[in-house]
Amino acid sequence: MGPPEEEIRRRLERVGQAHLLRFWAELEPAQRNSLWETLVQLDADELGEHCKRAAEACAQEQGGRGQGRLDGDLQPISAEFLGSVCRSDRATLERWEEEGLRQISQDKVAVLLLAGGQGTRLGVSYPKGMYDVGLPSHKTLYQIQAERIRRVEQLASERFGTQCIIPWYIMTSEFTLGPTEKFFREHNYFNLKKSNVVMFEQRMLPAVTFDGKAILEEKGKVAMAPDGNGGLYRALVDNKILEDMDQRGIRYIHVYCVDNILVKMADPVFIGFCVSKGADCGAKVVEKAYPTEPVGVVCRVDGVCQVVEYSEITLESVQMRNPDGRLTFSAGNICNHFFTLGFLQEIAEKFEPQLKHHVAIKKVPFVDEEGNLVKPLKPNGIKLEKFVFDVFQFSKNFVAFEVSREDEFSPLKNGDTADKDTPTTARQALLSQHYRWAVKAGATFVDANGQRIPEKYSLSGDEESPVVCEISPLVSYFGEGLETYLKAKNLQSPFLLDEDVMKFMAQHE
């Protein structure tokens, strides 16, 4: 039982939030109970502090403060702390991959998915992970990721002769937990063991007006929003996830966002690089496509590693180039990170309260003084978020790892009416990658008349692959082992190589 109604009311009045009980007398018992539980959970003092913080942060940002340029303090990541797939020799990459697979084989690696957001910008009401971008197999993002976990487990087991498990932790929100749990149950957890798929919720925070009042979206409901992907660190504590990892013997965690169709789950090369460098924190980056590309840049500010938003750098700095012609500040952040368990424990114990709150100005539906629902035409509310990468500053040994954009980064953010990051661009990115794998393995594609389709080894921008070729993650994690099935084979588009086709081809060698 929480405190009595009058005590809650007094506490809310003390922190300037008594308006949340404005319609109490009109509420049904179930509505009262729901609102009561929310208010008890929020705690009046914390609520008051949150609303004050939101209003002050918003005023500061709109006043132009907090958006200062950092140019004089900026430095790129030092070469000794920067690895690269593109600029490393084959032997080095194989050594890192070997180390990563060794750690996986010893059950020391977990993956953690950030999946608290809905597919609103995509034009759907369900979690992004449930989205089908239109592949021949019609696999969803969740299924693709699950199958990559299974395949990399298999690769590590084969390499070191042991059975191993990569636990999959999935951070959801109030909006995505139920649908995600249901989806996984309906698909039998994509043949992963249920106990190794751990779902948990991040916190929800009230949306706030510009004058510091929590917003009622219904007479008996406070408008809430997830606390950003940086809410991960509080959620790890609230849901005892760090204890679960420790009990399983996990030492290294790969954290990523749900919407990247090309993500390499528990990437052995990335894991191996970070472990070899003794890193406690690492970030995958891609080279910026052009100087003014609106992405955050991983760099150093006053010697401290962090992600600097493109709005914080002047055009002069953005356009700076090294003697080799490459951009000086080229390391684009893609929300793909490595953490040691020890580092996450230290963040949870010491540094989480110090993480900066970022302001997002949104249109938030609300009820007016008379209780009428209003859907605003312009932004009227503040949502505070923390960002997952804001912990880089606390790292004792931070590294960055540059990967190929065409092989590892194609986010799904917008509906097909947009010009980038759409279902079409995500689908094309994956099919183009699989086409390159097949050609490299020695396959030849022919048309309906048996005529050879000329190979295109490099595709520019949004250029489509000349054929439709999809390869199941259960067959190949990153292009490995395909020569056995595809070398010197004539394939007709569309071509789907799944486990059944693989077995058929193996039997008819």
Side-chain angles (χ1 to χ4, degrees):
M1 279 292 291
E5 176 193 337
E6 284 308 311
E7 178 61 22
I8 286 264
R9 190 180 294 275
R10 280 195 297 271
R11 292 180 185 179
L12 289 175
E13 286 174 351
R14 190 175 71 243
V15 297
Q17 304 297 323
H19 64 284
L20 296 176
L21 296 178
R22 181 188 301 139
F23 302 105
W24 183 264
E26 301 175 32
L27 300 180
E28 298 291 335
Q31 293 174 307
R32 287 188 177 188
N33 288 338
S34 177
L35 179 58
W36 177 275
E37 287 176 9
T38 298
L39 295 174
V40 169
Q41 188 175 5
L42 284 173
D43 180 77
D45 290 334
E46 284 190 18
L47 174 62
E49 183 60 34
H50 167 75
C51 293
K52 179 182 176 184
R53 186 188 303 122
E56 289 176 351
C58 180
Q60 184 180 51
E61 188 163 296
Q62 291 184 335
R65 302 186 304 279
Q67 291 292 315
R69 304 294 183 176
L70 302 170
D71 297 54
D73 309 314
L74 282 183
Q75 292 179 313
I77 298 295
S78 305
E80 61 186 301
F81 301 114
L82 178 64
S84 173
V85 167
C86 308
R87 278 174 279 279
S88 299
D89 58 58
R90 187 167 182 170
T92 300
L93 293 174
E94 288 176 351
R95 186 172 71 250
W96 289 336
E97 181 181 58
E98 181 88 0
E99 180 61 34
L101 289 173
R102 178 181 293 108
Q103 299 299 334
I104 291 170
S105 74
Q106 296 173 359
D107 292 338
K108 292 183 179 179
V109 177
V111 290
L112 196 156
L113 165 60
L114 304 174
Q118 296 169 291
T120 310
R121 282 165 61 187
L122 259 178
V124 297
S125 59
Y126 50 82
K128 279 188 190 177
M130 294 164 54
Y131 197 88
D132 167 12
V133 301
L135 296 171
S137 67
H138 291 288
K139 289 178 180 177
T140 61
L141 296 181
Y142 280 147
Q143 182 170 354
I144 292 167
Q145 292 168 19
E147 291 182 353
R148 285 185 186 142
I149 291 174
R150 290 171 57 194
R151 176 61 182 162
V152 78
E153 285 176 341
Q154 183 183 2
L155 290 173
S157 295
E158 290 172 352
R159 181 75 62 92
F160 291 97
T162 60
Q163 290 299 309
C164 61
I165 292 168
I166 301 174
W168 193 7
Y169 295 91
I170 302 176
M171 185 177 79
T172 65
S173 68
E174 177 182 295
F175 302 132
T176 62
L177 178 60
T180 300
E181 286 181 328
K182 183 172 182 286
F183 192 73
F184 271 71
R185 283 196 305 270
E186 289 173 347
H187 292 84
N188 193 31
Y189 290 81
F190 305 104
N191 292 313
L192 293 168
K193 193 173 179 181
K194 180 181 177 181
S195 60
N196 295 324
V197 180
V198 181
M199 298 184 196
F200 61 102
E201 271 189 81
Q202 67 185 111
R203 294 178 74 215
M204 303 288 284
L205 294 175
V208 181
T209 61
F210 298 133
D211 59 350
K213 302 293 185 183
I215 296 174
L216 279 176
E217 67 175 32
E218 297 175 10
K219 290 182 178 181
K221 187 176 182 182
V222 181
M224 306 285 279
D227 56 354
N229 56 26
L232 168 67
Y233 308 108
R234 177 76 177 257
L236 290 174
V237 175
D238 291 347
N239 297 279
K240 302 189 184 306
I241 299 299
L242 296 176
E243 288 93 328
D244 185 83
M245 290 177 174
D246 197 27
Q247 289 169 4
R248 292 173 185 259
I250 299 301
R251 292 297 171 262
Y252 309 111
I253 300 95
H254 175 214
V255 176
Y256 69 100
C257 279
V258 69
D259 58 12
N260 179 12
I261 197 169
L262 298 180
V263 64
K264 290 177 69 180
M265 314 289 292
D267 178 10
V269 182
F270 182 41
I271 300 291
F273 167 74
C274 293
V275 171
S276 298
K277 289 288 187 179
D280 56 3
C281 175
K284 274 192 180 183
V285 297
V286 295
E287 187 171 4
K288 289 180 68 174
Y290 51 92
T292 55
E293 183 181 11
V295 296
V297 174
V298 179
C299 58
R300 296 164 68 210
V301 180
D302 290 333
V304 177
C305 294
Q306 64 183 69
V307 175
V308 176
E309 294 301 324
Y310 64 93
S311 59
E312 298 176 301
I313 312 177
T314 62
L315 185 61
E316 182 182 4
S317 292
V318 160
Q319 294 178 333
M320 283 175 58
R321 292 187 182 271
N322 299 331
D324 63 3
R326 297 181 64 232
L327 291 172
T328 301
F329 297 102
S330 64
N333 177 50
I334 61 172
C335 196
N336 193 314
H337 308 311
F338 165 95
F339 300 117
T340 63
L341 180 63
F343 179 73
L344 290 179
Q345 289 169 330
E346 189 174 28
I347 293 298
E349 292 167 7
K350 293 171 58 177
F351 298 120
E352 193 278 334
Q354 299 179 34
L355 295 183
K356 174 184 175 183
H357 285 89
H358 299 264
V359 173
I361 308 299
K362 303 284 188 180
K363 297 176 187 175
V364 182
F366 66 97
V367 289
D368 62 18
E369 297 279 339
E370 285 73 43
N372 301 309
L373 177 63
V374 179
K375 293 186 177 181
L377 299 177
K378 60 182 182 178
N380 65 310
I382 308 161
K383 295 181 180 180
L384 287 187
E385 302 173 327
K386 292 184 177 181
F387 293 163
V388 67
F389 54 70
D390 279 340
V391 298
F392 292 177
Q393 61 184 308
F394 304 115
S395 170
K396 296 182 178 68
N397 191 9
F398 177 87
V399 295
F401 191 64
E402 186 183 70
V403 297
S404 162
R405 185 188 295 251
E406 71 173 1
D407 277 328
E408 297 206 34
F409 186 57
S410 183
L412 174 64
K413 296 185 180 299
N414 307 308
D416 263 328
T417 54
D419 59 357
K420 66 174 186 175
D421 301 340
T422 66
T424 295
T425 60
R427 180 177 65 253
Q428 288 176 354
L430 190 69
L431 295 178
S432 295
Q433 179 187 62
H434 292 183
Y435 167 70
R436 294 193 300 273
W437 291 354
V439 170
K440 185 178 180 182
T444 298
F445 286 89
V446 297
D447 61 23
N449 298 317
Q451 296 297 308
R452 179 174 181 156
I453 300 173
E455 286 83 10
K456 294 195 73 170
Y457 295 97
S458 180
L459 302 171
S460 60
D462 296 333
E463 187 179 3
E464 289 192 48
S465 167
V467 303
V468 174
C469 172
E470 182 185 356
I471 298 170
S472 168
L474 297 172
V475 173
S476 185
Y477 173 76
F478 198 65
E480 80 290 335
L482 294 175
E483 293 85 355
T484 304
Y485 314 106
L486 302 184
K487 190 172 184 179
K489 292 287 196 305
N490 287 338
L491 308 175
Q492 193 168 334
S493 174
F495 176 70
L496 171 59
L497 179 58
D498 59 18
E499 285 185 297
D500 292 336
V501 174
M502 178 186 72
K503 290 172 184 174
F504 177 83
M505 296 177 82
Q507 291 168 358
H508 292 78
E509 274 296 309

